[in-house]
Amino acid sequence: AQSVTQPDIHITVSEGASLELRCNYSYGATPYLFWYVQSPGQGLQLLLKYFSGDTLVQGIKGFEAEFKRSQSSFNLRKPSVHWSDAAEYFCAVVPFKAAGNKLTFGGGTRVLVKP
Amino acid sequence: ETGVTQTPRHLVMGMTNKKSLKCEQHLGHNAMYWYKQSAKKPLELMFVYSLEERVENNSVPSRFSPECPNSSHLFLHLHTLQPEDSALYLCASSQETSGGVHNEQFFGPGTRLTVL
């Protein structure tokens, strides 16, 4: 069965430090890949997405993600974290050319930013 | 502001009540979704509507009843809920194209539901 794993439930990082959030998926073919962010009390906002092409994807708010087919991973990175980046981050996949746009989400990683 | 609104933002109801959640999208999309976000479980897809037709019912109990009267509006009718149904219910929309290309989903802020 298709699954998405975010191994880190919580991450604490100092403001200005770099951040990397891990995402692994289990699926026979390369799916569409997404990263969403959820601030407290808010819905989900798309940070970036990968469909095909360049495996390094740039997103909003200074985030980027790298698709590695050999590792079935799509890790999210930011070189320098700001206090406003404290939120929960979700990796999600949709099977390529599947009927219906059915996102499968990982469990999320909650990021805490220390001053 | 994502272009997807949900009302109410908070709802407290008893197990015998009947209530409805409303979602409206102002993006001209042709597909809408309901998700459930519980405290200790991943986001779960509940229902998918494409061109106002339900294309997915992800084994959701019948006490949840969706309705999509047009491509801009989506409802979730609730009746005889259980305390374990307390969660954040998120609505989303997307523009689906032919050929199986999936575009990003835009999410509303959610309705925080508490069942007493």
Side-chain angles (χ1 to χ4, degrees):
Chain A
Q2 179 184 342
S3 67
V4 182
T5 303
Q6 292 180 246
D8 305 305
I9 298 175
H10 294 99
I11 284 182
T12 300
V13 60
S14 297
E15 191 168 14
S18 63
L19 174 68
E20 181 167 11
L21 304 182
R22 295 182 290 165
C23 173
N24 294 95
Y25 64 90
S26 172
Y27 189 67
T30 301
Y32 294 130
L33 297 155
F34 304 84
W35 274 100
Y36 283 87
V37 61
Q38 185 178 32
S39 299
Q42 301 296 316
L44 276 69
Q45 181 183 20
L46 182 72
L47 286 174
L48 45 78
K49 60 189 177 186
Y50 174 78
F51 287 177
S52 64
D54 192 345
T55 57
L56 186 62
V57 181
Q58 301 299 317
I60 62 171
K61 305 185 180 187
F63 285 92
E64 65 178 25
E66 185 172 13
F67 168 62
K68 292 186 177 180
R69 185 190 306 275
S70 61
Q71 298 176 19
S72 297
S73 69
F74 188 55
N75 293 350
L76 181 71
R77 298 193 293 254
K78 185 168 183 176
S80 178
V81 168
H82 187 262
W83 64 265
S84 61
D85 294 322
E88 190 156 20
Y89 293 78
F90 294 92
C91 181
V93 305
V94 174
F96 181 64
K97 289 201 172 181
N101 188 357
K102 295 177 281 187
L103 280 169
T104 298
F105 284 89
T109 298
R110 188 171 297 279
V111 173
L112 177 66
V113 180
K114 294 190 302 183
Chain B
E1 182 62 45
T2 63
V4 181
T5 59
Q6 292 187 241
T7 54
R9 293 294 307 275
H10 300 270
L11 178 63
V12 179
M13 58 186 291
M15 290 191 285
T16 58
N17 291 158
K18 289 185 180 181
K19 297 287 184 183
S20 294
L21 309 184
K22 179 182 176 182
C23 175
E24 184 173 0
Q25 58 97 0
H26 311 274
L27 302 168
H29 288 165
N30 59 11
M32 297 186 77
Y33 313 80
W34 279 118
Y35 289 87
K36 177 182 179 183
Q37 186 176 29
S38 305
K40 297 192 184 299
K41 295 174 68 175
L43 272 152
E44 302 171 77
L45 177 66
M46 300 174 72
F47 301 104
V48 179
Y49 275 83
S50 179
L51 298 173
E52 301 155 41
E53 180 180 339
R54 191 190 311 179
V55 297
E56 179 78 13
N57 176 345
N58 207 18
S59 301
V60 179
S62 59
R63 57 186 182 269
F64 295 91
S65 175
E67 179 190 2
C68 188
N70 55 63
S71 60
S72 299
H73 294 86
L74 184 66
F75 294 90
L76 188 63
H77 303 300
L78 316 171
H79 64 98
T80 58
L81 294 192
Q82 305 298 311
E84 59 264 29
D85 297 321
S86 298
L88 182 68
Y89 289 85
L90 291 164
C91 173
S93 71
S94 69
Q95 181 63 25
E96 293 307 292
T97 56
S98 60
V101 176
H102 299 301
N103 292 312
E104 66 193 79
Q105 294 180 22
F106 291 80
F107 284 79
T111 295
R112 174 70 61 185
L113 174 67
T114 302
V115 182
L116 302 176

